[in-house]
Amino acid sequence: MMIKTWICAAMTAVALVGTAQADDAALKAAIAGTHRAAANSARDAWRHPYETLTFFGIKPDQTVVELAPGGGWYTEILAPYLRDKGTLILGAGVVPTAPANALAGVERLKTRLAAKPELYDKTRIGTFDVARGDTSLAPAGSVDLVLTFRNIHNWMAMGDDKVALVFKGAFDALKKGGVFGVVEHRLPAGKAQDDKAPSGYMSTAYVIKAAESVGFKLAASSEINANPKDKADHEGGVWALPPTFTNKDKDREKYAAVGESDRMTLKFVKP
């Protein structure tokens, strides 16, 4: 009986390992896909999508929310990875009373999604209008993973209350045990956080405090996206660095040598 039990346990373990390897292979395939823009793939060395997403515990059968996807850098990876078994919700929709430029941004996103139905036909857009206080991303308790990549400084520019609003929206949307994954430009320890974050850099302590204030618990942090060359003291803030090079040719070689920004990578859990 003991031998039989051991064999069953071993077979179960092998099955689980096989599933994990298949999941990893699917994520690697999405990252390596030829559908991705060449300029986006070129930044993998700085953004570490495989390591970052696996750190957050992503699985292909999850319901995942990506907040403020912007140009869709991560969306290119998440959409094909989640298409068959999971659900991807983009926190990008704005209410009809939003400014014309915000509405136009959503229409551009919809156009991009519609252009490649083989990738994006199952991707949903959830209401996410921070300025107007509406973050109805998904039904309460229905999401496994909420992700935000380098967005918190934009919400802080609107006020601490907007950061709290976004974090509370993420908390409410998540299932118990769900994960809130954060990547953000990191202000060096000891530097004071400006209340509007004009440099684009955020204090790790501020982000943790904001997350904990709505009920999250910090589960882990990672140096996956660290860059010790970045001292966060650039003219023009984080945008002086690649890929933006906001100062154009001024000190361009110096900023290119630094590379992309130093970033915190934090994993919060809803208890």
Side-chain angles (χ1 to χ4, degrees), residues 150 185 198-201 230 232-261:
R150 304 175 308 140
H185 308 297
S199 70
Y201 290 95
D230 179 18
D233 57 357
H234 320 298
E235 178 186 351
V238 70
W239 302 280
L241 297 175
T244 307
F245 289 112
T246 193
N247 298 322
K248 302 186 183 303
D249 291 334
K250 182 179 180 182
D251 294 325
R252 189 181 184 91
E253 290 185 3
K254 180 183 76 172
Y255 295 130
V258 172
E260 294 198 21
S261 67

Side-chain angles (χ1 to χ4, degrees), residues 22-24 26 58-62 81-87:
D23 291 349
D24 290 346
I58 196 168
K59 300 296 179 187
D61 60 351
Q62 290 180 329
Y81 179 68
L82 296 166
R83 184 175 180 271
D84 291 340
K85 300 178 182 178
T87 300

Side-chain angles (χ1 to χ4, degrees), residues 17-249:
V17 170
T19 300
Q21 289 175 341
D23 291 349
D24 290 346
L27 182 56
K28 289 178 179 178
I31 293 168
T34 56
H35 67 280
R36 296 183 65 204
N40 289 346
S41 296
R43 297 180 64 198
D44 287 356
W46 295 108
R47 301 194 69 172
H48 311 102
Y50 181 79
E51 295 82 0
T52 299
L53 292 172
T54 53
F55 173 71
F56 292 143
I58 196 168
K59 300 296 179 187
D61 60 351
Q62 290 180 329
T63 296
V64 178
V65 170
E66 181 189 3
L67 299 178
W73 196 95
Y74 260 101
T75 309
E76 279 189 341
I77 297 169
L78 294 169
Y81 179 68
L82 296 166
R83 184 175 180 271
D84 291 340
K85 300 178 182 178
T87 300
L88 175 60
I89 302 171
L90 302 179
V94 293
V95 296
T97 55
N101 63 331
L103 293 171
V106 174
E107 289 307 311
R108 286 193 297 272
L109 175 62
K110 290 180 178 178
T111 299
R112 287 200 300 272
L113 299 181
K116 294 185 177 181
E118 70 279 11
L119 296 176
Y120 304 119
D121 60 339
K122 297 181 181 179
T123 300
R124 292 159 43 191
I125 297 179
T127 301
F128 188 68
D129 195 332
V130 180
R132 280 151 194 79
D134 190 345
T135 57
S136 307
L137 299 165
S142 66
V143 174
D144 298 290
L145 177 61
V146 176
L147 301 170
T148 174
F149 301 102
R150 304 175 308 140
N151 288 311
I152 301 174
H153 59 278
N154 294 319
W155 304 324
M156 191 178 182
M158 302 183 217
D160 291 344
D161 60 324
K162 300 303 184 186
V163 177
L165 172 73
V166 174
F167 284 22
K168 183 63 164 58
F171 187 89
D172 291 343
L174 284 166
K175 301 173 182 177
K176 184 176 181 180
V179 170
F180 181 37
V182 173
V183 177
E184 179 58 287
H185 308 297
R186 178 165 53 186
L187 191 69
K191 285 195 173 185
Q193 177 70 67
D194 185 286
D195 62 356
K196 297 297 182 183
S199 70
Y201 290 95
M202 296 291 304
S203 159
T204 301
Y206 174 94
V207 175
I208 293 174
K209 183 178 180 180
E212 291 180 340
S213 73
V214 301
F216 282 115
K217 301 296 182 184
L218 179 65
S221 63
S222 173
E223 292 301 294
I224 296 167
N225 295 300
N227 179 3
K229 292 182 180 180
D230 179 18
K231 306 304 179 185
D233 57 357
H234 320 298
E235 178 186 351
V238 70
W239 302 280
L241 297 175
T244 307
F245 289 112
T246 193
N247 298 322
K248 302 186 183 303
D249 291 334

